[in-house]
């Protein structure tokens, strides 16, 4: 009951430090609600009680009661509690309590118009030098660079293993927003800003938690004709003759949705991925500057996945 | 007008100032914030800079980090002197009016304007010299700060010259052909123009050491 | 008095001097008002195009075709800029401030009438430059109203126009601010002490200080950005930038954060520039229509001063996400929480004023009453934004958009309408139609809530702002995308509900019922009691009023009518009675 | 014109103006001289700022007649001064705070290669 955040429609929290933020969100909104529920009825009652018909002559002397002073005192105390009890400690953890590098996934994220480049240091654990003209590409002469791995648009992580992101940008300001991880940090050119968090849910778990039956209607297909429809089928959709309309794990692209609809399927059981959303206006493509977060269940899976990007 | 605006010339009793006096000080307060903002930007940029004034101009080494290697300190010192002298002649011009000595006023005001023009000439020589050495605002942020701050200051000087020239030339009609009230009004205006002019001087007093010497 | 030629002489000065280059604060106020309303309508129009796109991404707009992302960004940046700098500020300060302040303090005009005229013309040309920027190659500024570099530095020519426009607008505001402060300090009529000034005058006074001292750093920043764009300096550009066109040929070494600091140093006080005059109008209308003094007038004034002071040191709450450490974020969180307290005090005082009143539900009163909960609601949504940890999920989402639209649209805009309905009879000598007013009010407040409340829900779900497709790219926003249609429909409904207002506004000029008395609302302040309706053209008052009492002496016990004007030299007996009853109470 | 100065007073003022001008000129020479003795950055900065402040104070106090100026004007200047101070202190501490986070400029990485 005291957890308003369930009712507020925040994205599913898949991170280690999300819970206190959500709790705080809920407390702030309790405070807001309390103030609102105090003043709104008072306001409406006063309007009714003191309308001219009922109160033809106003009372010159004002209210003497001190209750507004008490109320304001209450607000001060509530805000102080929020600050000292929640805001300062949570922020301090986020900003200062970095995990040990040896126990963390380390990744350098370089944003550009309009993509996210994830750079992993490879086996040697050292990032290669970059060249000034292509700050994402590795300098071929640097031996450290040889094993570095660049993944565009996908942030691969391991469940329960802390991540340290070294965030920067090579052109304009972007913002590295991970709604499910309660992470948002501007990527500012000229600065390399460290960010850390712990993914507590793997992509598999996330999809299971988010999976739901989505009706495909004329409307859904219409909406799906707008290209970015990023849900994934959570089960197979065979036709009567055994061929597949859609397979489990397949992205429900507009074409697939249409195929399903025409094949007589009216509901799909589907789930989304965790995403990276650019939260800072960065030019014409800002709206489409999307990345995905893929959290592997084990380190082995992670290594295997990264190996595929190692050319 | 059916009603005159009060306190245009005489001060209001409870505040002790006339409208224009208060107005110019308010304007100067905003100018303080304008130049304050620029100085704050300067501090911010300089704190964040790898090197200042910039390695690529005179190579690396101890000395190259000093501004006076790049900027012309003697010329700027001269300009400082010019500007404080003009500030003094400005206040003398006003005092002459107060003593009802109009020709002395014309003299001092004339000198003020000439000094101000001199300041701009020196400034132009300085700029020209920089351009000759291919040093432009775009060369690095030190020169950027130098050109933008001193440039904006020079614009303020130009504004002051225009105002003062008006009060030296056509504007004097108010004194020569006016009533006693007009004369008082004119003296007030010179005081106001003077306040502005001293402020321009004051800005330079901070610009000079922080840009040229440090 | 001093000069024999009177107002009739002034009228012979021809059209241009009378209506365009006038130095009469009332004419200038009207000029400001009409221009600002037109800009508001234009800004609203841009927004409707955007809302069309948000509701149905990619669907063509009649006559205009489908929007491109670049167009969307232009419209967004210009909507923000126009609404704030060309709409609300000129309306709240330029129009209402100009027209009403000298009348309320018993001054013949502003202290510097010609400066006043210049200030309007700077504003006008600033607006023209802004609008003209739509027609330069590649269109208007598209880096948001915040113009963050490096994006703004590398943007197209429209951004340069935006900067020049801002320089003109800032100059206009600075001249205005000097004028307002001087006028209020110097030209108060006899007996008009500071604590007898109407709350509206106080609000304008503090607002003028905010404009005077907060705008110059943005002007400085504007010059620096202009230098970056025109002289190729790199104040805001760090080294090593590589855009899609290859490496950027600049010296580098600058800081993008510098701009943000300078911008928000202005822009936070600026939001109070938007709200304080609105509070002032609401206070006037409320006192008049409850027939009762403002509760805690002095406390409100002190809160106002404190609010003005604090508004200078909270700016970095817009920058929590830029990588702020613990010490500075703690400072700015604390100041942000502190600044909410005076707002709570003022709002509470206004609520409590209602208690014990004899409330007349006139049209201006409806708008003023609408302001109260709407501003409260918007203000409350500022709290989670002001705390750094909760700002993480909310920053740059529609929650922020929802927050500030609640304060500026159903907040400030309703208050502006309250002002228009309240002073229209004063300015024109005619009444506005009541029925149309009611339709306008109820239609506006309902549709505004339908537009802005879902924004909070979308923001909670994490939908970023400034998205060309409204968020369809992301699967996490899937569940809240359907609101976009509702919101856009409501936005068009909002437009429809402005039609009765437009009809009312223009028709009443000719057809409205003539006001039967000078003091149409039976008000206590000087603009109603000391000058005819409409006021004397130049000079405002036939004789300079003398002020005997505070601004809101309504329903004074023992007085014959339920209002006691500030300039009414009432028989001593009545005064004594009033004082006596006060002592008893 | 109640506050007008008498002729005597004006003459006294003129002497003051000349003295102030002399002081300003001397202080200018001093700043420049100090700058030629290459002392380390922070002491140099402090000395320069102190001298500049004294000079500015002289100009404001005498040329601009701030000495004995009316209260309203003092209040205007005080408010500007307070906000100016806030601007500087908060700018500098914001910058210092960034450093506390150990923000490395990416550019440094690059310039080595160049
Ligand atoms: C008029 C304009 C206005 C006003 C008054 C405010 C008022 C406040 N604002 Fe807002 N704000 C903006 C306009 C405004 N803001 C704008 C335009 C932006 C976005 C800019 C951009 O990024 O483009 C913004 C953004 C913004 C942010 C940045 C968010 C982000 O980008 O992440 C923050 C963070 O602290 C904030 C906080 C506050 C606070 C704490 C107040 C406080 O002053 C509020 C205090 C008021 C109260 C606490 C209400 C009191 C309530 C009651 C007494 C009871 C109510 C009763 C009933 C409802 C019946 N605002
Ligand atoms: C004062 C400021 C102000 C005001 C009043 C408004 C009013 C409105 N705003 Fe806006 N808005 C901003 C300031 C403002 N806005 C800012 C700063 C941004 C951020 C920009 C950025 O991202 O950079 C923004 C962004 C913004 C967005 C987000 C865009 C995005 O992020 O992609 C949206 C979305 O719906 C929106 C909608 C609206 C709507 C529907 C109104 C409506 O409430 C409009 C209501 C208007 C009226 C009711 C007009 C009344 C006038 C008349 C009727 C004229 C009468 C004329 C005569 C008599 C001659 N605004
Ligand atoms: Cu990248 Cu927005
Ligand atoms: Cu703010």
């Amino acid at each position: 009951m005291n957890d308003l955040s369930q009712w507020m429609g925040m994205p599913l929290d898949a991170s280690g430090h999300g819970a206190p933020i959500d709790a705080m969100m809920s407390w702030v909104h309790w405070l807001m609600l309390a103030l609102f529920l105090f003043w709104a009825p008072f306001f409406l009652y006063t309007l009714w009680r003191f309308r001219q018909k009922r109160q033809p002559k106003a009372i010159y002397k004002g209210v003497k009661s001190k209750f507004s002073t008490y109320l304001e005192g209450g607000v001060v105390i509530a805000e102080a509690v929020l600050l000292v009890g929640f805001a300062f400690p949570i922020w301090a953890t986020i900003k200062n309590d970095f995990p040990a590098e040896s126990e963390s996934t380390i990744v350098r994220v370089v944003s550009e118009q309009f993509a996210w480049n994830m750079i992993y240091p490879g086996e040697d654990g050292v990032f290669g030098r970059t060249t000034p003209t292509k700050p994402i590409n590795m300098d071929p002469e640097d031996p450290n660079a040889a094993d570095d791995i660049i993944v565009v648009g996908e942030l691969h992580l391991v469940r329960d293993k802390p991540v340290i992101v070294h965030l920067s940008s090579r052109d304009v300001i972007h913002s590295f927003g991970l709604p499910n991880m309660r992470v948002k940090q501007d990527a500012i050119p000229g600065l390399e800003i460290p960010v850390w968090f712990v993914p507590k849910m793997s992509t598999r778990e996330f999809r299971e938690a988010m999976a739901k039956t989505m009706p495909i209607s004329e409307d859904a297909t219409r909406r799906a004709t707008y290209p970015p429809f990023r849900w994934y089928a959570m089960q197979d959709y065979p036709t009567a003759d055994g061929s597949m309309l859609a397979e489990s794990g397949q992205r429900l692209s507009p074409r697939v949705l249409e195929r399903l609809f025409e094949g007589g399927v009216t509901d799909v059981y589907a789930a989304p991925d965790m995403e990276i959303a650019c939260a800072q206006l960065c030019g014409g493509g800002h709206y489409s500057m999307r990345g995905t977060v893929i959290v592997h269940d084990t380190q082995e899976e992670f290594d295997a996945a990264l190996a595929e990007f190692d050319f | 007008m059916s009603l005159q605006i009060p306190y245009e010339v005489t001060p209001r009793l409870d505040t002790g100032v006339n409208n224009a006096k208060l107005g110019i000080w308010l304007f100067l307060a905003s100018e303080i914030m304008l130049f304050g903002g620029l100085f704050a930007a300067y501090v911010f940029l300089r704190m964040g800079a790898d090197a200042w004034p910039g390695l690529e101009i005179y190579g690396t080494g101890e000395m190259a980090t000093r501004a006076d290697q790049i900027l012309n300190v003697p010329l700027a010192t001269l300009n400082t002197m010019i500007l404080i002298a003009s500030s003094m002649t400005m206040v003398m011009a006003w005092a002459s009016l107060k003593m009802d000595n109009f020709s002395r006023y014309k003299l001092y005001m004339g000198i003020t304007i000439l000094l101000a023009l001199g300041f701009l000439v020196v400034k132009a020589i300085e700029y020209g010299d920089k351009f000759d050495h291919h040093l432009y605002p775009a060369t690095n942020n030190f020169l950027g700060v130098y050109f933008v701050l001193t440039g904006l200051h020079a614009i303020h000087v130009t504004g002051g010259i225009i105002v003062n020239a008006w009060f030296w030339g056509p504007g004097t009609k108010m004194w020569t052909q006016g009533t006693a009230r007009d004369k008082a009004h004119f003296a007030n205006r010179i005081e106001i123009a003077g306040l502005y002019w001293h402020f321009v001087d004051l800005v330079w007093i901070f610009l000079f050491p922080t840009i040229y010497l440090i | 008095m001093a000069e024999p030629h009177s107002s009739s002489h002034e009228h012979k000065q021809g059209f241009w001097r009378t209506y365009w280059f006038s130095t009469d604060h009332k004419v200038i106020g009207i000029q400001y008002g009409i221009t600002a309303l037109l800009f508001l309508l234009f800004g609203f129009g841009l927004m409707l195009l955007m809302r069309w796109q948000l509701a149905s991404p990619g669907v063509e707009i009649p006559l205009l075709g489908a929007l491109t992302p670049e167009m969307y960004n232009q419209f967004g940046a210009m909507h923000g800029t126009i609404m704030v700098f060309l709409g609300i500020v000129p309306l709240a300060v330029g129009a209402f401030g100009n027209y009403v302040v000298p009348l309320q303090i018993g001054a013949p005009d502003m202290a510097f009438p010609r400066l006043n005229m210049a200030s309007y013309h700077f504003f006008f040309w600033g607006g023209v430059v802004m609008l003209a920027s739509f027609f330069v190659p590649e269109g208007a500024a598209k880096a948001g109203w915040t113009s963050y570099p490096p994006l703004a530095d590398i943007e197209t020519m429209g951004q340069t126009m935006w900067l020049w426009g801002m320089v003109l607008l800032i100059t206009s505001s600075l001249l205005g601010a000097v004028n307002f402060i001087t006028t209020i300090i110097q030209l108060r009529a006899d007996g008009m002490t500071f604590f007898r000034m109407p709350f509206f005058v106080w609000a304008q006074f503090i607002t003028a200080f905010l404009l005077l001292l907060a705008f110059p750093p943005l002007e400085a920043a504007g010059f620096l950005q202009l230098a970056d764009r025109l002289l190729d300096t790199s104040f805001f550009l760090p080294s090593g930038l590589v855009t899609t066109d290859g490496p950027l040929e600049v010296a580098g070494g600058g800081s993008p954060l510098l701009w943000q600091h300078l911008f928000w140093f202005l822009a936070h006080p600026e939001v109070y520039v938007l709200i304080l005059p609105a509070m002032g109008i609401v206070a006037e209308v409320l006192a008049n229509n409850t027939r009762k003094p403002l509760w805690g007038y002095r406390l409100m004034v002190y809160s106002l001063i404190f609010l003005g002071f604090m508004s200078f040191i909270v700016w970095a709450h817009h920058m929590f996400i830029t990588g702020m450490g613990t010490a500075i974020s703690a400072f700015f969180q604390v100041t942000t929480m502190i600044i909410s307290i005076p707002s709570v005090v003022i709002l509470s005082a206004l609520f409590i004023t209602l208690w014990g009143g004899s409330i007349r539900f006139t049209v201006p009163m409806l708008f003023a009453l609408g302001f109260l909960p709407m501003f409260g609601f918007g203000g409350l949504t500022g709290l989670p934004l002001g705390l750094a940890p909760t700002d993480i999920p909310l920053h740059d989402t529609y929650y922020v958009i929802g927050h500030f639209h609640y304060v500026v649209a159903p907040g400030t805009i309703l208050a502006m309408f309250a002002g228009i309905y309240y002073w229209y009879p004063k300015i024109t000598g005619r009444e506005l139609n009541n029925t149309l007013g009611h339709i306008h009010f109820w239609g506006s407040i309902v549709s505004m809530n339908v537009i802005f409340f879902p924004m909070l829900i979308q923001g909670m779900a994490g939908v970023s702002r400034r998205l060309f497709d409204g968020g369809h790219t992301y699967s996490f926003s899937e569940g809240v995308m359907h609101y976009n249609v509702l919101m856009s429909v409501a936005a068009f409904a909002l437009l429809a509900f402005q039609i009765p207002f437009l009809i009312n506004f223009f028709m009443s000029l000719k057809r409205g019922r003539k006001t039967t008395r000078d003091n149409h609302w039976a008000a206590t302040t000087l603009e109603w009691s000391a000058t005819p309706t409409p006021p004397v053209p130049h000079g405002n008052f036939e004789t300079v009023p003398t002020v005997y009492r505070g601004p809101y002496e309504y329903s004074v016990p023992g007085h014959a009518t339920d209002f006691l004007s500030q300039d009414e030299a009432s028989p001593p007996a009545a005064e004594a009675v009033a004082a006596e009853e006060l002592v008893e109470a | 014109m109640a506050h007008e100065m008498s002729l005597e007073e004006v003459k006294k003022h003129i002497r003051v103006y000349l003295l102030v001008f002399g002081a300003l000129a001397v202080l200018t020479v001093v700043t420049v001289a100090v700058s030629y003795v290459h002392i380390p950055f922070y002491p140099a900065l402090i000395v320069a700022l102190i001298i500049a402040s004294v000079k500015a104070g002289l100009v404001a106090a005498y040329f601009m007649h701030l000495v004995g100026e009316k209260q309203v004007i003092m209040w205007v200047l005080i408010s500007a001064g307070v906000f100016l101070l806030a601007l500087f202190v908060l700018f500098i501490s914001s910058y210092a705070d960034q450093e506390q986070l150990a923000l490395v400029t990416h550019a440094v990485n690059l310039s080595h290669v160049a």
Side-chain angles (χ1 to χ4, degrees), chain C residues 227-302:
Chain C
D228 270 9
R229 296 183 54 83
L230 300 176
L231 305 176
D232 292 332
T233 55
S234 34
F235 295 123
F236 303 125
L237 301 175
S239 316
L241 288 186
V242 185
T243 66
T244 36
D245 305 331
L248 215 59
E249 302 286 336
V250 293
S255 164
L257 285 181
L258 173 60
W259 169 270
Q260 298 191 16
H261 280 296
L262 289 167
F263 181 85
W264 291 115
F265 186 87
L266 156 87
H268 188 85
E270 176 74 20
V271 307
Y272 290 93
V273 169
L274 302 177
I275 205 72
L276 296 187
M279 287 176 171
I281 293 174
V282 168
E284 294 303 296
V285 175
L286 224 56
N288 179 259
N289 287 291
T290 51
R291 316 304 297 160
K292 182 172 173 299
L294 277 188
W295 187 85
Y297 165 80
R298 257 176 198 262
L299 185 67
M300 283 172 73
V301 171
Y302 291 135

Side-chain angles (χ1 to χ4, degrees), chain B residues 102 169-183 186:
Chain B
F102 185 67
T172 49
K173 248 188 276 165
M174 202 168 178
W175 178 279
T176 50
Q177 298 168 19
T179 60
R181 184 178 184 275
D182 288 339
K183 284 191 173 182
F186 185 72

Side-chain angles (χ1 to χ4, degrees), chain A residues 174 278 280-282 286 289:
Chain A
H174 302 270
C278 182
Q280 181 65 262
L281 179 61
C282 51
H286 163 60
M289 190 163 159

Side-chain angles (χ1 to χ4, degrees), chain A residues 71-115:
Chain A
L71 187 85
E72 282 143 20
V75 177
V76 173
I77 292 169
E79 289 183 349
V81 170
L82 280 171
L83 281 169
V84 179
F86 291 84
F88 296 165
I90 296 176
W91 195 252
T93 320
I94 293 173
K95 287 294 153 180
N96 299 338
D97 296 353
F98 274 79
E101 291 204 2
S102 54
E103 290 160 17
S104 317
T105 313
I106 307 214
V107 53
R108 176 195 260 167
V109 174
V110 182
S111 50
E112 67 176 306
Q113 286 171 328
F114 301 95

